[in-house]
């Protein structure tokens, strides 16, 4: 209902950096993009439902080159990484990644990268859609750290879905089956340097192949496509429905400039017992002691009406009073309901509450539920 969002062409510009997989995705018939880190990310190949079920039952390949790698190297690389991350990074081994709630000095979430420890003196911050290159450089300078901070020539290609182990093992060998979550190995395939990690923005299992030579995108794309044929691989994208069903956060979509990690379910990834010089930690200790103002729940609309995704957060009411916002809207093919996240006032709401959601001038009856939905 309400009609789809209008689609417009995209004017070429050197501000919009192409992904190494761009021409491959065009050949696959990409139909729409979103912007992310000053790049374009494919969001559809024309059949959202088919792309969803392929992720749930099969295997899909996604151009996620927009997850840029901020590379920190040098004698103080470990110190800078720790100062940026409110999490015990000394526990992170070479070859391991950690999900991090990157905060500013007020404890506000400014990104949620996966941090990969490539070496004792080399780290990658695999970032969401905000400029951490400037942030990391500024902090390094102010603290007089001996480091170099660059955006590396690294472009992830995700392989996601229950058949992804078979596809990635077919390419790289059976050792990939033994990779633990967020662990990785640097390797090479047909002269293409790739870091193979077990990770990805879905709960269907899978890998990310971090291409380390931007001139070889088409070569890697073709190789994965060819290996995946037996399992009917197809192109897809970070799936807006599966990620909501699974409770995965989208920084900048589900967060605003007041959001702290405790409000959006990231407390398990925060360590408050790190040194006081870790950015945001003194503020996070205060927020924790006072209790965060909001919490993240699921919102499930009654009935089988499909409500379009929105550019704006939707206001949620309980007994006629505004108590929070629905931060995303999607049709769940498995639940056969319109669902989304609710960033709600913590003392006013709990799972089980009946609420109404204002969307496109209408009010929809809904209930609050615990995350994840599935
Ligand atoms: N791939 C890469 N980098 C990224 C993203 C990605 N950087 C930004 C953004 N996406 C990071 N967001 C997430 C969020 C959650 C998870 C992965 C990336 C995730 N979470 C699991 C969970 O919540 O259950 C496990 C976390 C854990 O237990 O440590 O996987 O998509 N390269």
């Amino acid at each position: 209902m309400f009609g789809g969002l209008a689609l417009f062409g995209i004017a070429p510009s050197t501000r919009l950096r192409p992904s190494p997989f761009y021409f491959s995705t065009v050949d696959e018939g990409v139909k729409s993009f979103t912007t992310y880190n000053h790049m374009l990310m494919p969001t559809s190949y024309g059949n959202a439902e088919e792309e969803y079920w392929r992720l749930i039952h099969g295997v899909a390949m996604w151009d996620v080159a927009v997850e840029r790698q901020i590379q920190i190297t040098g004698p103080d690389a470990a110190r800078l990484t720790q100062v940026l991350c409110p999490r015990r990074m000394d526990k992170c081994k070479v070859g391991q990644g950690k999900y991090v709630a990157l905060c500013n000095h007020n404890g506000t979430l400014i990104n949620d990268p996966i941090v990969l420890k490539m070496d004792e003196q080399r780290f990658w911050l695999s970032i969401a859609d905000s400029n951490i290159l400037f942030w990391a450089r500024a902090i390094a300078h102010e603290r007089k750290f001996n480091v170099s901070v660059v955006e590396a020539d690294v472009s992830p290609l995700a392989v996601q879905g229950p058949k992804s182990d078979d596809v990635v093992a077919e390419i790289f060998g059976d050792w990939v089956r033994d990779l633990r979550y967020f662990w990785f190995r640097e390797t090479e395939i047909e002269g293409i340097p790739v870091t193979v990690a077990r990770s990805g923005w879905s709960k269907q299992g899978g890998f990310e192949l971090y291409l380390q030579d931007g001139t070889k995108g088409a070569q890697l794309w073709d190789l994965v496509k060819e290996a995946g044929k037996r399992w009917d691989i197809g192109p897809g994208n970070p799936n807006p429905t599966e990620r909501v069903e699974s409770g995965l956060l989208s920084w900048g979509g589900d967060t605003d400039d007041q959001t702290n990690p405790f409000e959006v379910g990231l407390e398990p990834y925060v360590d408050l017992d790190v040194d006081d010089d870790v950015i945001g930690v003194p503020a996070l200790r205060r927020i924790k002691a006072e209790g965060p103002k909001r919490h993240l729940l699921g919102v499930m609309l009654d009935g089988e009406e499909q409500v379009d995704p929105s550019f704006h957060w939707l206001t949620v009411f309980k007994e006629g009073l505004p108590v929070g916002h629905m931060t995303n809207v999607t049709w769940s093919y498995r639940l056969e309901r319109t669902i989304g996240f609710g960033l709600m006032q913590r003392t006013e709401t709990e799972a089980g509450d009946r609420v109404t959601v204002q969307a496109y001038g209408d009010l929809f009856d809904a209930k609050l539920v615990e995350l994840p939905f599935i």
Side-chain angles (χ1 to χ4, degrees):
M1 65 181 297
F2 304 122
L5 299 173
L7 283 180
F8 301 94
I10 295 162
S13 158
T14 48
R15 279 184 301 102
L16 276 179
R17 306 175 294 169
S19 154
F21 312 114
Y22 174 76
F23 291 106
S24 302
T25 64
V26 170
D27 288 346
E28 298 286 351
V30 64
K31 290 289 184 292
S32 62
F33 293 95
T34 189
T35 65
Y36 196 105
N37 283 327
H38 306 277
M39 294 177 68
L40 298 175
M41 182 178 75
T43 56
S44 172
Y45 293 83
N47 189 333
E49 178 159 8
E50 187 183 301
E51 288 160 33
Y52 170 85
W53 288 116
R54 179 179 285 132
L55 169 63
I56 303 298
H57 295 307
V59 55
M61 56 195 291
W62 306 345
D63 172 3
V64 286
V66 296
E67 318 289 352
R68 303 312 294 166
Q69 307 305 304
I70 306 308
Q71 177 169 269
I72 301 172
T73 50
D76 290 332
R79 281 182 72 202
L80 175 59
T81 303
Q82 179 61 84
V83 156
L84 294 172
C85 299
R87 183 167 188 178
R88 286 281 302 272
M89 294 310 292
D90 57 329
K91 292 184 177 166
C92 187
K93 305 270 196 325
V94 172
Q96 189 179 13
K98 294 272 187 194
Y99 184 39
V100 168
L102 208 69
C103 290
N104 68 12
H105 300 82
N106 300 325
T108 301
L109 192 68
I110 59 168
N111 203 291
D112 66 333
I114 298 163
V115 177
L116 294 85
K117 185 168 180 177
M118 307 305 294
D119 224 320
E120 293 299 341
Q121 294 194 7
R122 185 163 64 104
F123 294 80
W124 286 352
L125 273 52
S126 181
I127 59 168
D129 186 20
S130 68
N131 198 325
I132 298 307
L133 182 64
F134 289 177
W135 176 256
R137 280 183 175 163
I139 301 297
H141 186 86
E142 294 289 313
R143 306 247 177 153
K144 301 183 169 55
F145 287 152
N146 183 3
V147 291
S148 148
V149 183
V150 298
E151 188 188 291
D153 175 10
V154 178
S155 303
L157 176 64
V159 182
Q160 299 284 302
K163 305 281 166 57
S164 54
D165 276 55
D166 292 330
V167 175
V168 177
E170 172 93 4
I171 301 168
F172 295 97
D174 276 328
W175 60 266
V176 304
R177 297 181 191 277
D178 300 325
L179 273 180
R180 284 173 284 159
Y181 204 72
F182 284 155
W183 286 71
F184 60 86
R185 189 196 282 185
E186 291 191 83
T187 182
E188 216 182 81
I189 185 77
E190 296 182 9
I192 314 170
V194 200
T195 294
V196 180
R198 189 183 287 281
S199 65
W201 205 54
S202 87
K203 287 290 208 178
Q204 306 311 310
F207 297 84
E208 290 179 305
L209 315 179
Y210 291 74
L211 170 67
Q212 273 160 271
D213 178 349
T215 67
K216 296 186 166 145
Q219 217 181 315
L220 182 62
W221 184 278
D222 290 345
L223 206 140
V224 174
K225 187 178 175 180
E226 188 58 35
K229 273 203 175 122
R230 258 171 72 196
W231 294 276
D232 198 24
I233 201 168
N237 62 289
N239 193 279
T241 298
E242 192 278 344
R243 76 98 180 171
V244 171
E245 293 171 339
S246 297
L248 294 172
L249 192 73
S250 177
W251 183 90
D254 303 321
T255 63
D256 59 16
D257 73 348
Q258 302 292 315
T259 308
N260 65 65
F262 303 123
E263 293 182 327
V264 288
L266 299 190
E267 184 163 358
Y269 312 112
V270 174
D271 294 319
L272 294 176
D273 60 349
V274 292
D275 288 345
D276 294 353
D277 66 353
V278 174
I279 295 168
V281 157
L284 289 170
R285 289 185 191 133
R286 267 196 315 277
I287 294 166
K288 167 95 172 151
E290 287 167 9
K293 290 198 175 58
R294 299 178 291 187
H295 61 166
L296 199 65
L297 294 170
V299 182
M300 187 183 290
L301 270 53
D302 293 352
E304 294 180 18
E305 192 157 20
Q306 300 192 23
V307 178
D308 271 358
S310 167
F311 277 119
H312 307 286
W313 286 8
L314 308 174
T315 306
V316 179
F317 298 87
K318 179 179 161 183
E319 290 157 9
L321 296 172
V323 286
H325 293 96
M326 198 166 171
T327 65
N328 56 58
V329 180
T330 189
W331 174 254
S332 168
Y333 299 100
R334 282 181 286 178
L335 299 172
E336 301 188 326
R337 287 285 182 280
T338 293
I339 60 170
F341 292 173
L343 187 53
M344 310 299 298
Q345 289 177 28
R346 193 171 58 96
T347 54
E348 305 297 322
T349 55
E350 60 183 354
D353 283 354
R354 299 286 314 163
V355 292
T356 54
V357 180
Q358 191 169 28
Y360 305 98
D362 274 326
L363 285 173
F364 295 88
D365 291 324
K367 75 171 177 217
L368 299 179
V369 299
E370 297 286 357
L371 290 175
F373 286 95
I374 297 177

